[in-house]
Amino acid sequence: MSALYQRSATQIAAAVNAREVSAVEVLGAHMARIERVEPSIGAFLSLTADLAREQARRVDEAVAAGKRLPLAGVPVAVKDNMCLQGTVTTAGSKILAGWVAPYTATAVARLLEAGCLPVGKANLDEFAMGSSCENSALGVTRNPWDTDRVPGGSSGGSVAAVAAGEAALATASDTGGSIREPAAFCGVVGMKPTYGRISRYGLIAFASSLDQIGPIARTVEDAAAMYGVMAGHDPMDATSLPRPVEPTLPALRTDLRGLRVGLVREFDTKDLGEEIDAAYRRAYAQLAALGAEIVDVALPHAEYGLATYYLIAPAEASSNLARFDGVRYGLRVDGANVQEMYGKTRAAGFGPEVKRRILIGTYALSSGYYDAYYVRAQKARTLTAGDFERAFAACDLIACPAASSPAFEFGAKSDDPVSMYLMDYYTIPMSLAGLPALSVPCGFVRDGSPGGRELPLGLQLVAPLYEEARLFAAAHAYEQATRYTLDRQPPVVESVR
Amino acid sequence: MSSGSGIDVRYVARLARLDLTEEEATLYQRQLDRLLEHVESLQRLDVGRVAPTAQVVPLTNVLRDDVTCPSLDRAQAMAGAPAREGAFFRVSRIIEEQE
Amino acid sequence: MSGTMVEQTYEAVIGIECHVELKTASKMFCGCRNEFGGEPNTQLCPVCLALPGALPVPNRVAVEHVVRAGLACGAAIPSFSKFDRKNYFYPDMPKDYQISQFDMPLVSGGVVRFRREDGSEGSCRLTRIHLEEDTGKSTHMGSGDGRIAGSTHSLVDFNRAGVPLMEVVSEPELRSAEDAVAFLEYLRLTFLYLGISDVKMEEGSLRCDANVSIRPVGSTEFGTKTEIKNMNSFRSVWRAIQSEIERQRSVLAEGGRVAQETRGWDEANGITHSMRSKEQAHDYRYFPDPDLVPLTLEAAWVEDLRAKTGLIPIAAYERLERACGLAPAQIRQLLGDPALVRFLLQTVDMRPDDVAFAQAAANWLLGDVLRMLNERGVSIDGQRTLTAQALAECAELAMAGAITSKTAKELLERVMAEGGSPKEIVAREGLAQLSDPSMIAGIVDQVMAANAKSVADFQAGKENAIKALVGQVMKVSKGKANPQLAESLLRERLKQP
Ligand SMILES: [Zn+2]
């Protein structure tokens, strides 16, 4: 059997429940792994070893008492925009540096109840705004497949931790692609459920009508198991879906017979370069080989997705981030009066990307521009949702890229916000429509430089609202048939300096 | 869209209580002008008969029963306070706002 | 305007905006206690302190309170309503936005009918009633008088933050300070009767602002209005409006123009003073709160609430006037105590259309019952012994001459102390009034024999002496003799030589 840190969550839970290994041992192996690779990866903003140890002891006691826990002893990295009582929770921002959460997010609490061990708080783009993790004000996270490259974002720390074996699972959040794009960049599975499926209570808000928590794992089965634990109605979140969660694990399949998979006309991959184009064609062919019927679908308003998103998300963010005002918690920079204090505190506490989005969002909501920008964007959102409704009349799943490129080098897109925003071109429409979508590794491309490394690509699968089970079933079949990352570890260990 | 008027970064920054340096104001003005150019594409859409989507999930009347639950104790509630005086959060002088 | 012109006569145009804290067990969006006067900063949770990640869930009872307020004013309840965010920074507002309602309030229209002191009728239509949340409370330090002007810093208590708050906006239909106060009084009574608020101005559960303008009598256009704030009693509302009307009148008389502005009422000096210019309107950037979902007020729900509306003060006024023949002053004395009014009307209902009975019951209630309640320091619904049935029996016995008023008083005292049915007590204990001339005649003889001096005085022309003799008859009969009968018998005997 492989080293403990290489095992899947499902394997770990089975072993802990069977008392073949203790949660304390599992934790020890992962803490050792963290110690070894963290200097070159930087997935975490803080480690929560004491909490994890305490939790591991509780899990072992529960198991000894005859209890079986679905994620017994599974180390999990918690994205640092989720509250975990007693831990520093920063959202990657200086404005919250050192803030200790006095309560725990619902999704995280459910993971703890299921036996997970919270090993640390994972890095992210500040307030989850970004596609590379470079917008974190508190740390640099590197891609385990090539440490000169970004891990993707905003859930960069989460995907890096899982890819590098620092945790078997990680929580992540997706507003316009923040789970799917980094999952693709780091060769892991990342899934964004239907909006409202997993409670947002305790998730530091970026854009409330788009934010959704989801699982990061190295296998589809693990992601499905983790999703199953986190999903379900929460009375603390008024947008939480009251419908039952269909079991995902029993639905996992090894073929795609009877499924119609739609390829989106507007998402032609030819412009992404020959090698990438070929990789996606191979992926689609593989879906067909597994028995899927490939059909052609259209998302005529996809081209407006980015514009729609970059009005709605910043507008909501500008309001959500108002509370960081230096009065009740977080950073304060004093001024002669309260107004000055606000202006200075927020100037010092927020990074450039957050400021840009607060400004554009404030503008989109301001008097005289509200109808022209915000309301128009909400109408465009209706058109996007309608596109998917029509597309799903002709297919059961949609397949497309999870990102327009593999992981890029640090600084490659820092000067031009819009070119960075374009990274989310393939993920934003699903967010606008609230659909469940997932990224699963679909091969590697060479980065082109001499001695360059191979970089993972992600295939995005999209299902109609509430059809998460179908999504996992299909992704599992594809993953088991291709095994791109199941038998291959990122070369991170070699890069330890 | 109200193109032509464009974004006044300084005015918006005041609304958002965000002090900007000269350099920041210039940089953001340029960057946000470019973003707004991109966003102008929405002008091409015919949205005359389209209802706005504020929420994608079709929920209504999500209400809680009027029952109390324990509050944080004061020490917890004020643990993160940048400044306090006795049992209160302390802030510097409040001036009547001008926008 | 030239001084030679005939002095212009103006009329006042007044609109009222009220904020009413709703009476609920918990706050608007969280489970913290909604309670006045708690230790500072002890009624707080992640939601009402606006900690990162916390989410609001609306209180059903608060929504129902507002709908009931609307129904009581005969308003239409729209089938669709929603919550919006009103964005502005203020240190005692935790989220730096207030959850409120912008364009789709829970209640539109309605009318408040009221009675003036002289009993004449008036009314004022409502524009809307909406639901929002209260802010915390700032105490301004260093200015000596607690005023914001000249303060050095402020201290914030957030206990009140998130308390459900109902905003009532009237049309500008009031024409005098008297009417404004009468309108407010009936609004206050309406909420008191509905039991949806404590409506205590001194505790801030009822706060109001007035919009005041004046215009030439006969004009249909509005003059420039000012908004008057800081009025903390009905008396100060009256004085402030009166003073503002006078001020505007003299501004116009001197050829000046009234500036649109907010003015604060200075109770000590009896004047309003300019607070800040309103010419630059605030840019509140209202937008639908993405953390909350819309409200649909289905007919069945609304009808159920309508059925629970109960007695409203103007209807109570009319019944007390018509059914009980009470004078305006008496009604005013009663109207402020809904429990007392309900008790009286319940009593009156036992003999419908019997005005004499109703009047008798009202007199007993306003007289002896109120006195006894005051002596005991209880309210009518704070005691269980005196029932409406018992009061009705007392009134009936007295009206029928079956007991003396002295007996009736004693009876009420007894019933109040130990409960029971007055009729049964009278029957059981033989308390019925002596109205049999043959029985009283014996006592009369006895009294005349024992009081020769009084007899002589009367016969010598001292008319007053008869009173002493009647008193003696009452004493000997232990208060049961019918005093009128006793007197006529005495006179008859005294005439005899
Ligand atoms: Zn609370």
Side-chain angles (χ1 to χ4, degrees), chain A residues 83 99 102-103 200-204 208 235-239 319-320 322-323 325 328-329 342 346 365-367 370 374, chain C residues 46-47 49-57 85 87 89-91 94-97 158 283 285-288 290-291 293:
Chain A
C83 292
W99 180 67
Y103 76 107
R200 294 184 295 118
Y201 189 74
L203 167 69
I204 299 178
S208 311
M236 297 300 280
D237 175 359
T239 61
S319 176
N320 284 333
R323 66 184 60 190
D325 62 2
R328 285 148 293 115
Y329 47 80
Y342 287 154
R346 292 162 62 79
L365 291 176
S366 67
S367 163
Y370 178 75
Y374 187 71
Chain C
V47 178
L49 194 55
L51 294 188
L55 294 174
V57 183
R85 292 188 185 177
N87 293 283
F89 285 80
Y90 207 81
K95 297 186 292 293
D96 290 294
Y97 61 81
F158 288 104
D283 194 340
R285 288 158 284 140
Y286 279 104
F287 75 107
D291 286 331
V293 300

Side-chain angles (χ1 to χ4, degrees), chain A residues 168-385:
Chain A
L169 301 175
T171 66
S173 64
D174 190 312
T175 306
S178 279
I179 287 178
R180 293 159 284 163
E181 184 248 28
F185 279 18
C186 285
V188 295
V189 179
M191 187 266 190
K192 178 199 100 71
T194 304
Y195 179 82
R197 194 60 110 166
I198 295 178
S199 170
R200 294 184 295 118
Y201 189 74
L203 167 69
I204 299 178
F206 161 14
S208 311
S209 77
L210 295 156
D211 292 346
Q212 185 53 207
I213 291 175
I216 300 288
R218 288 191 294 271
T219 71
V220 173
E221 186 184 21
D222 280 4
M226 185 182 182
Y227 160 82
V229 165
M230 293 192 292
H233 181 248
D234 176 17
M236 297 300 280
D237 175 359
T239 61
S240 166
L241 290 171
R243 32 192 314 147
V245 179
E246 280 159 51
T248 50
L249 290 174
L252 296 183
R253 303 170 50 161
T254 49
D255 66 70
L256 299 176
R257 277 196 293 273
L259 280 179
R260 295 165 302 165
V261 173
L263 302 183
V264 181
R265 214 171 297 159
E266 291 79 5
F267 287 172
D268 193 348
T269 51
K270 269 206 286 293
D271 296 341
L272 303 183
E274 214 171 290
E275 211 184 343
I276 295 174
D277 180 43
Y280 283 110
R281 285 174 188 282
R282 252 195 323 278
Y284 303 150
Q286 182 65 53
L287 296 174
L290 284 163
E293 179 195 342
I294 303 294
V295 299
D296 176 52
V297 296
L299 299 175
H301 296 96
E303 61 173 305
Y304 301 103
L306 215 61
T308 306
Y309 177 85
Y310 277 97
L311 289 172
I312 291 175
E316 293 181 8
S318 71
S319 176
N320 284 333
L321 268 56
R323 66 184 60 190
F324 301 101
D325 62 2
V327 174
R328 285 148 293 115
Y329 47 80
L331 180 74
R332 172 188 291 188
V333 179
D334 273 314
N337 56 55
V338 165
Q339 300 299 344
E340 270 188 42
M341 185 275 280
Y342 287 154
K344 289 181 174 183
T345 297
R346 292 162 62 79
F350 292 135
E353 183 59 28
V354 174
K355 287 179 185 173
R356 271 192 292 273
R357 298 207 195 183
I358 288 176
L359 292 172
I360 201 77
T362 303
Y363 177 64
L365 291 176
S366 67
S367 163
Y369 301 98
Y370 178 75
D371 289 322
Y373 287 111
Y374 187 71
V375 175
R376 182 165 275 264
Q378 283 194 324
K379 291 179 176 176
R381 189 172 183 182
T382 308
L383 295 175
T384 298

